[in-house]
Amino acid sequence: MYLPDFEYYAPATLSEACELLEKLGPGAKVIAGGTDILSKMKQELLFPKAIVSLKYLSGLSEIRLESNNDVIIGAKATHNSLIDSPVLQEKYPSLCNAAHQMANNQVRNIGTVGGNIVNAVPSADLPPLLIALGAKIKLVGTNGERVLPLEDFFTGPNESIIKQDEILTEFIISEQSLTGSTYIKFALRRSGALAVASVAVAVAMEGNTCRKARIVLGAVAPIPLRAKKAEEMLTGKEITDELLEEAGSVASAESKPISDIRGSAEYRRDLVRVLTRRALRKAINEGHV
Amino acid sequence: MQKIEDRSETKYYLITLKVNGDSYTRAVKANTLLVNFLREELDLTGTKKGCELGDCGSCTVLLDGKPVNSCLVLALEAEGHEITTIEGLSQNDKLDKLQEAFVENAAIQCGYCTPGMIMSAKALLTRNPHPTEGEVREAIAGNLCRCTGYVNIVKAIMSAAEEQQ
């Protein structure tokens, strides 16, 4: 399988990269790890005229803890660097765990967090958990930068609000009140398989009372979906097994799955019910994020 | 990265890659994949092409010591990095311990997955010299073998690890 011809640019600075993307127009695509874009090009799903490489842009791979306790994840950080990050192991081990469930070791060594988001695949593993953790993203373009909740980023399968001249540079997690979070993925194999359905949960507990809950469903809607009704019914309540069971049913009713090669809509809806209950129980019991 | 145009205005880029310890400078087109660079430019055909979509792992090479699918890396993107292929494992005509272990444990049937499998195993043992069976299985989860059922492959990697002790 050979790739079609394209122009290649490897700018030295971020502003140069944004200007190039604007100048070259919609036929120009960004390459970071390349695991998504190159396989799409080989399958003739994507035909970029030009590829703008981020390889010489420094400082975008860092994962660090700021003095105000914000965690910053550079968009070029690979999945395996998330797994190995001492900062994330300490602050958000659920993210290490979610990254570990992706693809296989070879892809995790080169695929980037930024790419996993910008490709906007409905079954992607990191978006549900990052949204549950309240992550914000920074988009840098020719007219400066904007910071917005990741939740507002996706508009449909393979679609988002990112503009032609913009590059996703980092994730910011500033939520400090959470007591637990988790990501549960159901796939047909343990490795190298996309999610049939997945559920990410982040909670803030006070004793046995739920102060805040975010439930985000993956692979069961065109975009990662907040199960807001299920979240509401938990907020301010004492947690019981019955309540979690009910939250699972409500989340299931909120999901909008399709039937495809990996599973039927009915099966996915039932998975959401079970996975939501399990994820909530795990996040509540864990007592740490 | 220097850009060169030939008479038909085809663009080439001058890149230098360090492969198995040696530096190679070549003019390549933007769409040259690392796997084709290795196989066609350098004649290092030990690295195999299977699915070519990042699922099967037969094209696994080490990029700065980490296993990657060379079918999903542009040669241009690998510029400035160190690549190790299966040809780079033997030293002075002596096979690597892992290669010996694959032979001794009959971990090879058709052999097509073997180079990639060994590169993944090599990276594991460098990082984690005494892996559990679970860790071995996880490390080679991106390398598909359709002959062996993996039993002897896992055995070979475990025995190479023991030998290191």
Side-chain angles (χ1 to χ4, degrees), chain A:
Chain A
M1 247 181 262
Y2 291 82
L3 292 169
D5 281 314
F6 51 84
E7 298 270 334
Y8 177 86
Y9 301 88
T13 66
L14 188 56
S15 57
E16 217 180 298
C18 296
E19 278 158 27
L20 259 172
L21 284 169
E22 185 172 50
K23 193 183 92 190
L24 297 164
K29 294 274 176 204
V30 168
I31 190 167
T35 52
D36 255 307
I37 186 172
L38 296 181
S39 66
K40 278 183 184 155
M41 286 166 69
K42 287 180 175 189
Q43 293 173 86
E44 301 185 353
L45 300 170
L46 209 58
F47 308 89
K49 263 194 344 237
I51 283 187
V52 177
S53 167
L54 305 186
K55 87 176 251 170
Y56 292 125
L57 306 190
S58 54
L60 293 186
S61 313
E62 227 186 345
I63 301 169
R64 62 179 197 274
L65 183 64
E66 299 279 76
S67 53
N68 63 359
N69 271 331
D70 281 5
V71 168
I72 308 289
I73 304 172
K76 266 173 65 183
T78 62
H79 304 303
N80 270 348
S81 70
L82 254 65
I83 299 171
D84 295 338
S85 156
V87 170
L88 294 183
Q89 283 167 3
E90 164 77 25
K91 292 276 287 180
Y92 302 106
S94 57
L95 261 178
C96 305
N97 195 279
H100 207 160
Q101 295 184 47
M102 299 204 28
N104 56 48
N105 194 31
Q106 288 93 322
V107 170
R108 288 196 300 267
N109 271 329
I110 204 151
T112 66
V113 200
N116 197 235
I117 302 302
V118 176
N119 277 295
V121 177
S123 60
D125 290 309
L126 294 177
L129 183 59
L130 283 166
I131 291 172
L133 293 172
K136 288 174 286 190
I137 53 172
K138 188 189 274 184
L139 299 172
V140 177
T142 47
N143 293 322
E145 61 181 53
R146 51 180 177 150
V147 173
L148 63 147
L150 174 60
E151 195 183 342
D152 300 337
F153 181 73
F154 302 101
T155 52
N158 311 311
E159 281 172 20
S160 73
I161 56 150
I162 198 163
K163 295 192 185 124
Q164 176 56 33
D165 64 318
E166 282 181 324
I167 291 170
L168 170 59
T169 58
E170 66 184 32
F171 299 82
I172 306 143
I173 311 178
S174 25
E175 182 79 67
Q176 303 298 336
S177 64
L178 299 173
T179 56
S181 65
T182 196
Y183 173 72
I184 301 185
K185 165 185 185 172
F186 184 89
L188 300 179
R189 295 181 303 278
R190 251 191 288 171
S191 174
L194 297 177
V196 179
S198 66
V199 177
V201 161
V203 291
M205 297 294 293
E206 205 179 290
N208 195 35
T209 306
C210 177
R211 290 287 165 223
K212 192 190 283 176
R214 281 203 211 99
I215 303 169
V216 189
L217 314 177
V220 291
I223 59 171
L225 187 73
R226 283 274 297 271
K228 289 193 176 167
K229 286 180 190 151
E231 292 175 5
E232 266 167 43
M233 62 176 288
L234 294 168
T235 311
K237 301 275 172 53
E238 283 279 313
I239 296 301
T240 62
D241 285 342
E242 293 70 37
L243 188 64
L244 297 187
E245 184 76 50
E246 216 180 308
S249 300
V250 170
S252 169
E254 287 181 86
S255 68
K256 299 164 189 160
I258 55 164
S259 295
D260 66 11
I261 191 167
R262 284 185 286 278
S264 67
E266 293 76 12
Y267 184 53
R268 286 191 155 104
R269 242 178 253 121
D270 209 42
L271 276 175
V272 170
R273 182 180 64 78
V274 176
L275 298 181
T276 301
R277 187 193 66 209
R278 280 186 202 164
L280 280 165
R281 180 43 83 194
K282 191 154 177 270
I284 288 165
N285 283 2
E286 263 179 3
H288 61 76
V289 191

Side-chain angles (χ1 to χ4, degrees), chain B residues 58-72:
Chain B
S58 55
C59 66
T60 302
V61 301
L62 305 187
L63 190 137
D64 297 335
K66 292 176 183 166
V68 304
N69 292 312
S70 60
C71 74
L72 288 186

